[in-house]
Amino acid sequence: DGGITQSPKYLFRKEGQNVTLSCEQNLNHDAMYWYRQDPGQGLRLIYYSQIVNDFQKGDIAEGYSVSREKKESFPLTVTSAQKNPTAFYLCASTPWAGGLNTEAFFGQGTRLTVV
Amino acid sequence: GIQVEQSPPDLILQEGANSTLRCNFSDSVNNLQWFHQNPWGQLINLFYIPSGTKQNGRLSATTVATERYSLLYISSSQTTDSGVYFCMNNAYSGAGSYQLTFGKGTKLSVIP
């Protein structure tokens, strides 16, 4: 089955540690995105990538880093510089970055908690 | 950037009632989608509806791209319909990039 997979589902991090959230898709999509959601809030864009080896900052990129070395993978690293990383993280992909027929697909999310 | 305004922000319904959720957009509607976020946080894709009307069981959606809005209709609501509903547009955001832009959501509570 084609889809987008995030792992792990739950992640606990000690303060001061970096952690990496995985996002993999086998849909052959060009564009991938990372969102953060805080309790009772909407989704905010962290980073997005329209093509391999290229990515752009979203609205709340500070304290996060990404890479896009392969088309199917877009890992997100939450660094120790992120002051309040406890949140729900969602990854998405679209066939390409613009134009018509760009239906978005989402992973199941990773819930990160700082302990 | 592109603004997406959802209304109402909160809605409480008696089971069996009908409701209409609305999204207004500040710019062109290209690839509009409606999602239901389940209690575990997963976004369930309800409709991909850049224009026109679609129906799926008790749910239907209409997008009028020329007037920059979309509506989600829920008929004969059930308690399992409770949750947050988001609309999202994938549209040009300038400087050669496209972004997925979300509304802030409508929190629906269906009571028995």
Side-chain angles (χ1 to χ4, degrees), chain B:
Chain B
I2 300 163
Q3 304 296 318
V4 181
E5 187 179 307
Q6 275 190 254
S7 60
D10 295 280
L11 185 59
I12 300 175
L13 294 177
Q14 198 78 40
E15 198 169 23
N18 303 330
S19 63
T20 301
L21 283 57
R22 184 179 179 107
C23 265
N24 290 330
F25 299 89
S26 62
D27 208 324
S28 59
V29 179
N30 289 341
N31 298 284
L32 188 117
Q33 287 178 253
W34 282 97
F35 296 91
H36 176 214
Q37 189 165 38
N38 67 19
W40 297 272
Q42 187 179 4
L43 287 178
I44 308 300
N45 188 12
L46 299 175
F47 293 101
Y48 171 69
I49 184 163
S51 64
T53 297
K54 288 186 179 179
Q55 180 150 11
N56 184 4
R58 294 181 297 103
L59 303 181
S60 65
T62 295
T63 296
V64 183
T66 53
E67 297 185 23
R68 300 179 183 174
Y69 73 88
S70 183
L71 303 172
L72 177 70
Y73 305 96
I74 304 174
S75 64
S76 304
S77 58
Q78 301 175 358
T79 55
T80 51
D81 294 332
S82 296
V84 183
Y85 290 80
F86 290 101
C87 60
M88 183 203 76
N89 190 28
N90 182 9
Y92 187 66
S93 58
S97 69
Y98 285 74
Q99 288 187 13
L100 309 179
T101 305
F102 285 84
K104 293 188 176 180
T106 292
K107 183 177 180 182
L108 174 64
S109 301
V110 181
I111 55 177

Side-chain angles (χ1 to χ4, degrees), chain A residues 50-92:
Chain A
Q50 298 181 80
I51 197 167
V52 175
N53 293 323
D54 187 45
F55 48 83
Q56 289 81 39
K57 293 182 179 180
D59 301 319
I60 55 165
E62 186 175 348
Y64 299 97
S65 67
V66 292
S67 63
R68 187 87 187 277
E69 296 176 2
K70 297 185 295 182
K71 188 176 186 178
E72 59 268 26
S73 179
F74 191 40
L76 173 74
T77 297
V78 185
T79 74
S80 56
Q82 171 48 238
K83 301 259 185 280
N84 184 19
T86 295
F88 185 61
Y89 292 86
L90 279 163
C91 179

